[in-house]
């Protein structure tokens, strides 16, 4: 039996007063009183408003069955605001239960929104208007925001949340306002309005108490918003600060691994933090497998990544975009060009980070000699440039450049050296393009071997690179020059042949103007074209490729003639390049 107290700690007027109610509840929470214990203290009163507040507390304690008799009292009341809040509380609880179901009944959302919209109209037209009626309207709009969020109608969710915030502010109830702000921010994220989301999450972090669940949740989301906007360093700093406060916070641990994975810094052997919500742990495991391939060439991990992503059936627009890009990336490196091209356009990217990676992925597809132009590489470069121009913070632009150069180094170098250049990309992408000097320069180092660079160049055009002699010493020199410390492990840095970039600049010159031919000529002047070797290995292949490319460079022949030659020479040429 639930014990009763001689008198309620709050009068009926105070229970109706939103400021008095939320202040009392916050004070009780500070001294460690549980919601269930607070509900027991209110049992002395039999007023309808007491029953509503008790039901609210019992719902928070996960005891909804015990709350139902109290809600029945509210539904029998003649007070339209009491009935509306009781209905909103039942819908709120049902939504929470549905969120943890594997196959939630989405059609319930529409019935719930219709119900709350009807009660909202009654409240707004009621001749009675006081603080409690304003609170009730704010709560109904708060719940409508969450329901429209579930239904994917983010503009309508934003509209309801924004008005709910305005309604709550004069009531001086920061707990309610902060909860609404979090929902407003969540809808803003999924509507692609990152700055709105950032401001709301920051406002919550500045308002609620340190160590509170709402504050920690908001700060974790601030980090994810910063990541999606490109500011990787700031995102990592926020997450580390959260973990300093609460080291066992699972969302923060999971988000740290996600941020590290997206920036290529997650240790390929680190244990993935379990987090079943939105399949966050499975996403991190798939990204970790991609990092292992990108850093160390562990090709078998590409199939590991695809297997992980295949298990994910429900995520949200943020993670759907990430999964789409990651699947396409793995498929490309497995040589599945058509499947990669088919996959990359499955979800529209909402955020600068994913937009840049998606454009980079399309450029990588186009720059493979056996690839495909989903869009003109020149237009893709213009779109990359536009994303950088629209990104206000230099830190975010540098973050975008670093992530693009890590995952799609050829695309980053192509953009950096193109007529649509981006300064931040030049800084991070150019070191990957080798300079044919004596000795050859790559990543700021001189490498005392030449044949591997010729092989990389010939391979980019699908030509024969077989050498009938031992190359172990050359491989060792290359490994010493290209293997660096990276995060908690090692990484083999990429090598991009200038000839490949020059070829695609010349390809764009035929349809986008002579400025692209000039870009090719400047590149050849600064970096060379096809490297020579001291011995006779691959001499004929090198000389012929050099001659054919220079003929195009001078404008004596076109790309079509070059590709016809390449096809007869044994190269694999996609139809789109002809």
């Amino acid at each position: 039996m639930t014990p009763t107290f001689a008198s309620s700690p709050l009068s009926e007027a105070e229970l109706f007063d939103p400021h008095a109610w939320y202040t009392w509840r916050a004070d009780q929470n500070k001294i460690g009183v549980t919601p269930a214990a607070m509900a027991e203290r209110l049992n002395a009163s039999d007023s309808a408003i007491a029953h509503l507040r008790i039901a609210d507390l019992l719902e928070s304690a996960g005891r909804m069955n015990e709350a139902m008799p109290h809600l029945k009292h509210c539904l029998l009341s003649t007070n339209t605001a009491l009935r509306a809040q009781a209905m909103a509380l039942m819908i709120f609880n049902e939504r929470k239960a549905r969120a943890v179901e594997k196959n939630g009944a989405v059609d319930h959302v529409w019935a719930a929104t219709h119900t709350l919209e009807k009660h909202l109209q009654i409240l707004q037209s009621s001749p009675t208007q006081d603080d409690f009626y304003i609170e009730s309207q704010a709560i109904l709009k708060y719940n409508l925001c969450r329901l429209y969020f579930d239904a994917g109608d983010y503009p309508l969710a934003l509209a309801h949340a924004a008005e709910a915030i305005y309604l709550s502010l004069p009531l001086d109830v920061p707990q309610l306002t902060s909860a609404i702000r979090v929902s407003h921010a969540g809808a803003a994220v999924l509507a692609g309005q990152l700055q709105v989301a950032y401001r709301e999450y920051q406002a919550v972090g500045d308002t609620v108490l340190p160590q509170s669940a709402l504050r920690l949740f908001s700060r974790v989301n601030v980090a994810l918003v910063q990541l999606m906007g490109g500011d990787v360093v700031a995102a990592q700093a926020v997450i580390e600060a959260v973990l300093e406060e609460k080291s066992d916070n699972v969302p923060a641990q999971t988000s740290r691994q996600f941020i590290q994975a997206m920036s290529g810094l997650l240790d390929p052997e680190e244990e993935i933090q379990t987090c079943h919500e939105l399949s966050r742990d499975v996403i991190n495991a798939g990204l970790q497998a991609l990092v292992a391939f990108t850093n160390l060439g562990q090709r078998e991990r590409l199939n590991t990544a695809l297997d992980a992503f295949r298990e994910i059936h429900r995520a949200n627009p943020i993670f759907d975009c990430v999964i789409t890009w990651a699947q396409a990336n793995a498929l490309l490196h497995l040589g599945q060009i058509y499947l990669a091209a088919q996959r990359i356009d499955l979800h529209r990217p909402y955020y600068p980070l994913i937009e840049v990676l998606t454009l980079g992925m399309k450029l990588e597809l186009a720059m493979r000699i056996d690839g495909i132009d989903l869009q003109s590489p020149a237009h893709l470069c213009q779109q990359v440039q536009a994303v950088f121009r629209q990104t206000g913070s230099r830190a975010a632009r540098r973050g975008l450049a670093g992530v693009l150069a890590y995952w799609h180094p050829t695309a980053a170098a192509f953009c950096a050296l193109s007529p649509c250049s981006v300064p931040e990309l030049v800084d991070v992408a150019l070191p990957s393009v080798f300079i044919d000097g004596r000795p050859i320069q790559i990543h700021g180092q001189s490498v005392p071997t030449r044949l591997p660079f010729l092989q990389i160049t010939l391979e980019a055009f699908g030509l024969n690179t077989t050498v009938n002699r031992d190359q172990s010493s050359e491989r060792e020199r290359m490994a010493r020059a290209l293997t660096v410390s990276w995060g908690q492990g090692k990484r083999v840095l990429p090598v991009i042949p200038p000839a490949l970039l020059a070829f695609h600049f010349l390809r764009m010159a035929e349809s986008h103007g002579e400025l692209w031919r000039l870009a090719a000529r400047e590149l050849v002047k600064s970096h060379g074209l096809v490297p020579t070797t001291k011995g006779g290995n691959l001499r004929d292949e090198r000389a012929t490729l050099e001659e054919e490319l220079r003929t195009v460079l001078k404008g004596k022949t076109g790309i079509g003639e070059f590709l016809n030659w390449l096809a007869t020479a044994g190269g694999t040429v996609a139809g789109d390049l002809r």
Side-chain angles (χ1 to χ4, degrees):
M1 178 182 290
T2 303
T4 60
F5 291 81
S7 63
S8 171
L10 295 172
S11 67
E12 185 170 344
E14 288 172 322
L15 287 169
F16 268 113
D17 179 4
H19 176 74
W21 163 245
Y22 283 100
T23 300
W24 177 80
R25 187 168 175 176
D27 290 342
Q28 295 294 296
N29 187 58
K30 282 180 191 175
I31 60 175
V33 181
T34 65
M38 293 183 219
E40 290 174 3
R41 294 201 62 192
L42 296 180
N43 262 333
S45 174
D46 194 41
S47 66
I49 184 61
H51 283 291
L52 176 68
R53 300 307 192 190
I54 290 168
D56 187 11
L57 291 165
L58 290 172
E59 193 281 333
S60 297
R63 293 160 61 170
M64 193 62 182
N65 287 340
E66 295 176 43
M68 284 301 182
H70 299 283
L71 289 170
K72 181 181 176 182
H73 275 275
C74 301
L75 293 173
L76 292 171
S77 170
T78 58
N79 186 311
T80 55
L82 271 168
R83 290 204 307 272
Q85 281 215 42
M87 187 62 70
L89 185 60
M90 287 190 287
I91 288 171
F92 176 77
N93 179 263
E94 185 206 33
R95 178 186 179 274
K96 282 202 302 187
R98 188 173 61 249
V100 298
E101 294 175 4
K102 288 190 175 179
N103 296 299
V106 177
D107 50 326
H108 286 189
V109 172
W110 298 112
T113 54
H114 174 75
T115 299
L116 291 188
E117 292 279 14
K118 182 181 70 175
H119 279 281
L120 183 61
Q121 289 175 4
I122 294 170
L123 278 179
Q124 290 172 332
S125 60
S126 171
T128 304
Q129 292 295 328
D130 56 21
D131 284 6
F132 183 68
Y133 270 72
I134 296 173
E135 176 200 354
S136 300
Q137 290 177 53
I139 286 175
L140 261 64
K141 283 190 164 290
Y142 168 45
N143 278 274
L144 283 166
C145 163
R146 296 160 77 93
L147 290 166
Y148 282 117
F149 179 98
D150 292 346
D153 192 339
Y154 306 121
L156 198 50
L158 282 168
H160 278 293
E163 189 171 351
I165 292 169
Y166 287 129
L167 288 167
S168 70
L169 285 172
L171 300 176
D172 190 20
V173 284
Q175 303 91 333
L176 177 59
T177 303
S178 293
I180 300 169
R181 285 191 188 280
V182 167
S183 289
H184 188 229
V189 167
L190 298 188
Q193 299 180 21
L194 292 186
Q195 286 304 311
V196 173
Y198 178 79
R199 287 195 299 269
E200 292 289 34
Y201 283 132
Q202 284 285 69
V204 173
D206 294 340
T207 303
V208 298
L209 292 170
Q211 295 287 337
S212 72
L214 198 59
R215 182 172 184 271
L216 291 173
F217 175 82
S218 295
R219 294 187 69 197
V220 168
N221 280 283
V222 163
L224 292 176
V225 167
Q226 288 174 317
L227 172 69
M228 288 298 142
D231 198 340
V232 178
V233 173
Q236 187 66 47
V238 170
I239 283 296
E240 295 300 337
V242 172
L243 289 170
E244 281 183 19
E245 288 184 24
K246 194 167 179 60
S247 60
D248 61 346
N249 185 274
V250 171
Q253 292 171 342
T254 302
S255 295
R256 176 169 63 181
Q257 289 188 327
F258 180 68
I259 293 166
Q260 289 175 335
M262 290 303 296
S263 52
L265 293 171
L266 181 60
D267 185 341
E269 305 307 322
E270 182 176 323
E271 184 178 353
I272 296 298
Q273 170 66 50
T274 301
C275 182
H276 298 309
E277 183 182 2
L278 297 176
S279 303
R280 295 284 302 278
D281 48 358
V282 181
I283 293 170
N284 285 349
L287 292 172
Q288 182 186 47
L290 279 183
V291 169
F293 167 77
T294 305
N295 286 357
L296 301 170
Q298 296 177 2
R299 190 174 177 81
E300 69 279 2
R301 298 287 288 270
L302 293 172
N303 286 313
T304 302
L306 290 174
D307 290 342
F309 296 132
R310 198 174 290 121
E311 295 300 315
I312 301 171
H313 301 293
R314 272 180 27 168
N316 70 12
I318 290 180
F319 298 118
D320 286 343
C321 293
V322 171
I323 293 165
T324 293
W325 162 79
Q327 287 176 317
N329 197 10
L331 289 166
L332 173 66
H333 290 298
L334 285 170
Q336 300 288 337
I337 303 299
Y338 169 71
L339 292 178
Q342 182 191 58
R343 172 63 53 176
I344 194 61
D345 273 329
L346 188 60
H347 292 284
R348 183 177 74 83
Y350 282 82
Y351 316 101
L353 184 77
I354 306 303
E355 191 172 0
V356 161
L357 287 175
T358 300
L359 293 169
M361 179 70 208
K362 290 180 178 181
L363 275 168
E364 294 278 356
L365 277 167
M367 297 186 72
R368 291 274 295 249
I369 207 67
D370 57 347
I372 183 171
D373 284 357
L374 293 175
Q375 291 175 255
S376 160
H379 289 152
L380 291 170
C381 276
Q382 290 168 357
Q383 291 175 62
V384 170
Q385 187 183 61
V387 174
F388 276 85
R389 284 179 174 174
Q390 292 160 13
T391 302
S393 158
R394 185 164 190 269
R397 292 196 299 273
R398 292 176 67 179
L400 291 175
V403 171
L404 180 59
Y406 172 79
W407 288 109
H408 299 298
T410 306
F414 183 77
C415 289
L417 289 162
S418 77
C420 306
S421 184
V422 173
E424 289 81 10
L425 276 178
V426 172
D427 296 339
V428 296
L430 248 59
S432 298
V433 184
F434 71 76
I435 301 172
D436 184 14
R438 293 199 177 272
I440 288 176
Q441 300 282 323
I442 183 73
H443 293 288
Q445 293 193 60
S446 299
V447 183
T449 185
R450 302 185 64 80
L451 183 58
F453 292 97
L454 173 58
Q455 290 174 305
I456 289 169
T457 303
L458 294 172
E459 195 174 82
F461 290 92
L463 296 170
N464 174 49
T465 62
T466 304
V467 173
N468 296 318
R469 68 168 176 79
D470 179 51
Q471 286 191 268
S472 56
S473 62
E474 290 161 328
R475 283 194 289 268
E476 288 175 9
R477 292 191 196 106
M478 291 289 283
R480 282 197 299 270
L482 299 175
T483 305
V484 297
S485 297
W486 190 260
Q488 300 300 312
K490 300 286 185 182
R491 178 191 174 196
V492 178
L493 296 172
V495 178
I496 300 166
L500 179 65
L501 302 179
F503 162 72
H504 286 286
F505 289 156
L506 293 170
R507 189 159 74 90
M508 292 302 98
E510 295 196 345
S511 54
H512 295 277
E514 285 300 299
L515 190 58
W516 288 87
R517 188 180 304 277
L518 183 58
R521 288 172 177 166
E522 289 298 315
L523 174 60
V524 172
K525 189 187 301 181
S526 61
H527 286 69
L529 193 57
V530 183
T532 58
T533 59
K534 292 181 180 178
N537 292 296
L538 304 174
R539 178 175 291 178
D540 292 342
E541 290 87 346
R542 190 217 77 81
T544 310
L545 177 60
E546 170 97 13
E547 180 183 353
E548 294 292 336
L549 282 173
R550 287 199 179 275
T551 303
V552 180
L553 189 65
K554 293 172 183 176
K556 293 181 179 180
T557 59
I559 289 294
E561 290 88 342
F562 174 83
L563 291 174
N564 287 334
W565 163 79
L566 191 60
T568 60
T572 304
V573 182
D576 266 18
L577 301 184
R578 289 181 175 276

